[in-house]
Amino acid sequence: MKRYNFGRKHWTIIIICFFLFLLTNACTSDGENVILPKLAAFHGWDYSRMLVLATAAGCLSIFGSLIIGRICEKKGAKFTIILGLFLSAGFVFLYGAAPTMWAYAIGLFGAICAGQGISYFGANALIANWFPLKKGLAMGIVSVGPPVSTIIMVSVLTFLINSFGLIPGVLTISAVLIVMAVICGIFICDTPEMCGETPDNMPKEELEQFAVQEEQTQSLKLADLVKIREFWFIIIIIGVCSLSQTGVMAQFIVRYTDSGFAENTAILMMSVCAAVGIFGSVLVGYVENRLGTKKAYAVFAVVFAAALILNFTNIRALMVVSIPMFGCVITLLQIFLPSFEITVFGRKNFKAANGIIFPIVSMAGQLTFLLISVCLRVFGQVRYAYPVFAALLLVTLIFNAGMPKEEQR
């Protein structure tokens, strides 16, 4: 259980899910960094007003997530992914080529909701179905998608729009999403059993025991989920991860320029952090597979908290040391959200649990902007939110201690 001994179809699922996470980032957070300024300049719109609408779209997407989670539970991962890709193609074009501010707001809201359907619902459900025991190994590779998008896709999107113009550039992105939908329609199966494979590529005799255990697992409804303490523990643990990750990455440039670093230096530091994140994601996934979800989370929550404290000191040498540490944990949410959910609920109840947990966790991520705004108003710098993030991460260790134990694999 300690090796990547997957079959060809297992690797196909991992690679497709990697690209799904990459495309989600490219269409949402990374795409916004490129498209929004170009769109504002094209129409002469007030950029600050566009950012307010973008924040509102991100908050309201929580309600869209609840609907998408329900669709995934009823129709399955493959249907949700393909639907999300087609919707993303339409909504990205709507907001990227929007003739009015309202069209931009609606398009961005739809793009965020559809993107979450592609990755956090569809792709995560696929991982749960195909890798119920080796989820860490699979997600360690899949979650490389977001940092790769940050490093590569911003430049690609900028080149497309600068070379071909705003509307043709956005249309190219939409075309890629449609092509990806066709690829997913051809190569994805909701479960490995549907195409003659086994979960985790386990031997047939192991599969029989696994199938018996799964058949004996009771299907859970919302009323059942909310009565399970681990359901709330996951929300608290991953909600804090979402709050902290969003706070660090969304205000990364501002944090360093506030402390006297040149903007170009701050951008370089962010690129280094994302580059380390590629290897850090694989490392976290490997450690999760070796130690189990509970022990691995404890290790990396401490690493994250330590990085935040080192960065908060404002001592330049310690700030530089914290950058690769941040790189190791910038995919903590992406890896441990499905890992905890699969550990507690198994693949049978994963979609039902994820359909409720992810929207709440996403809402927690949006609260980071409120916390940072308070710190800016009181202390004048973003860094004063960092000790709060660190303290909350250490508090999550208490809830993590109450999670079920796993054997080393």
Side-chain angles (χ1 to χ4, degrees), residues 298-312:
V299 170
F300 290 105
V302 171
V303 171
F304 199 173
L308 287 161
I309 296 302
L310 290 176
N311 196 284
F312 171 73

Side-chain angles (χ1 to χ4, degrees), residues 64-133:
S65 295
L66 291 169
I67 297 171
I68 294 170
R70 188 66 173 168
I71 291 171
C72 187
E73 183 181 356
K74 294 296 182 182
K75 304 293 288 185
K78 180 175 181 176
F79 179 89
T80 305
I81 289 168
I82 294 173
L83 176 65
L85 286 165
F86 278 116
L87 288 177
S88 287
F91 281 121
V92 167
F93 184 74
L94 178 60
Y95 97 77
T100 66
M101 192 77 82
W102 279 111
Y104 149 74
I106 294 170
L108 185 57
F109 166 76
I112 293 171
C113 293
Q116 291 171 346
I118 294 167
S119 54
Y120 289 100
F121 290 106
N124 277 356
L126 268 188
I127 296 299
N129 288 341
W130 280 76
F131 308 96
L133 301 179

Side-chain angles (χ1 to χ4, degrees), residues 31-297:
E32 289 171 38
N33 286 329
V34 178
I35 294 173
L36 266 58
K38 302 287 185 182
L39 189 61
F42 184 79
H43 289 291
W45 291 344
D46 180 2
Y47 188 59
S48 62
R49 186 184 173 197
M50 292 182 70
L51 291 178
V52 170
L53 289 174
T55 303
C59 293
L60 291 173
S61 69
I62 293 162
F63 300 102
S65 295
L66 291 169
I67 297 171
I68 294 170
R70 188 66 173 168
I71 291 171
C72 187
E73 183 181 356
K74 294 296 182 182
K75 304 293 288 185
K78 180 175 181 176
F79 179 89
T80 305
I81 289 168
I82 294 173
L83 176 65
L85 286 165
F86 278 116
L87 288 177
S88 287
F91 281 121
V92 167
F93 184 74
L94 178 60
Y95 97 77
T100 66
M101 192 77 82
W102 279 111
Y104 149 74
I106 294 170
L108 185 57
F109 166 76
I112 293 171
C113 293
Q116 291 171 346
I118 294 167
S119 54
Y120 289 100
F121 290 106
N124 277 356
L126 268 188
I127 296 299
N129 288 341
W130 280 76
F131 308 96
L133 301 179
K134 294 186 179 181
K135 52 195 180 295
L137 291 177
M139 283 306 302
I141 298 172
V142 170
S143 58
V144 170
V148 168
S149 175
T150 300
I151 295 170
I152 296 175
M153 294 308 294
V154 171
S155 299
V156 171
L157 294 174
T158 301
F159 170 78
L160 285 173
I161 292 172
N162 288 344
S163 300
F164 304 107
L166 180 60
I167 293 177
V170 172
L171 188 59
T172 303
I173 300 168
S174 295
V176 170
L177 291 166
I178 292 171
V179 170
M180 191 64 186
V182 174
I183 291 172
C184 290
I186 296 171
F187 292 104
I188 284 180
C189 289
D190 272 313
T191 66
E193 292 90 335
M194 292 173 66
C195 53
E197 299 290 334
T198 63
D200 299 306
N201 203 28
M202 64 177 64
K204 297 289 184 181
E205 57 273 14
E206 220 177 297
L207 176 62
E208 293 176 5
Q209 183 182 358
F210 179 81
V212 170
Q213 291 175 344
E214 194 168 54
E215 286 175 8
Q216 294 172 347
T217 303
Q218 179 187 358
S219 295
L220 300 175
K221 304 297 183 183
L222 176 59
D224 302 313
L225 291 170
V226 297
K227 295 176 184 176
I228 299 172
R229 69 170 191 169
E230 288 84 0
F231 174 84
W232 298 105
F233 285 4
I234 293 172
I235 287 173
I236 294 168
I237 293 168
I238 305 301
V240 170
C241 287
S242 180
L243 182 82
S244 305
Q245 276 184 228
T246 305
V248 170
M249 298 309 295
Q251 298 295 312
F252 197 100
I253 306 299
V254 175
R255 159 71 189 104
Y256 284 91
T257 54
D258 277 351
S259 296
F261 287 88
E263 185 176 11
N264 288 339
T265 303
I267 292 171
L268 175 62
M269 288 177 168
M270 187 172 184
S271 298
V272 170
C273 180
V276 173
I278 295 173
F279 304 99
S281 178
V282 177
L283 172 65
V284 173
Y286 179 78
V287 172
E288 192 279 342
N289 187 68
R290 290 297 299 267
L291 301 183
T293 304
K294 183 176 177 177
K295 291 181 180 179
Y297 175 78

